[in-house]
């Protein structure tokens, strides 16, 4: 199995084939493309959408989300982050 990617540039078709549920459709992945318009705000990591191209036009899934963990000295649990935002009266929470 290929190494787990630590950056967007390390995502590969081989890695995707190994991590997706092994059904006939996933074996037909021939190429991929990073969705440049997908840029979610995330407090706990970076996420990218990867569009998949299959040998069969009906192949599934059409895309997947790959999330990378943020490196920090003292990571906070997601619930704690949202509680702190609420206490600070932040009106928008992703």
């Amino acid at each position: 199995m290929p190494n787990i990617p630590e950056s967007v540039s390390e995502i590969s078709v081989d890695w995707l084939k190994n991590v997706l549920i092994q059904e006939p459709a996933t074996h037909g992945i021939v190429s991929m493309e990073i969705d440049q318009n997908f840029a979610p705000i995330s407090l706990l990591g970076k996420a990218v959408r990867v569009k998949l191209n299959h040998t069969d036009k009906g192949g599934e899934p059409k895309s997947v989300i790959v999330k990378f963990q943020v490196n920090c000295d003292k990571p906070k649990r997601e619930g704690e982050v949202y509680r702190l935002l609420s206490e600070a009266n932040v009106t928008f929470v992703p």
Side-chain angles (χ1 to χ4, degrees):
M1 178 172 191
N3 291 333
I4 296 171
E6 293 184 18
S7 68
V8 175
S9 64
E10 295 179 1
I11 298 171
S12 70
V13 170
D14 288 337
W15 178 75
L16 288 166
K17 285 180 178 180
N18 280 292
V19 297
L20 293 173
I21 296 172
Q22 295 298 312
E23 295 180 11
T26 60
H27 293 289
I29 299 171
V30 292
S31 65
M32 60 168 211
E33 162 188 353
I34 303 298
D35 183 349
Q36 300 298 328
N37 296 318
F38 184 77
I41 297 170
S42 177
L43 298 171
L44 303 175
K46 176 182 172 97
V48 295
R49 176 180 291 135
V50 180
K51 296 177 182 178
L52 304 175
N53 299 311
H54 301 266
T55 53
D56 176 11
K57 291 197 183 236
E60 294 287 339
K62 301 290 184 208
S63 67
V64 294
I65 304 297
V66 178
K67 184 175 179 183
F68 302 92
Q69 185 173 348
V70 172
N71 293 326
C72 60
D73 293 335
K74 295 181 180 179
K76 299 196 179 296
R77 296 182 66 195
E78 191 169 0
E80 183 180 354
V81 171
Y82 292 137
R83 181 183 56 77
L84 292 171
L85 289 170
S86 175
E87 289 173 1
N89 293 322
V90 174
T91 55
F92 174 78
V93 176

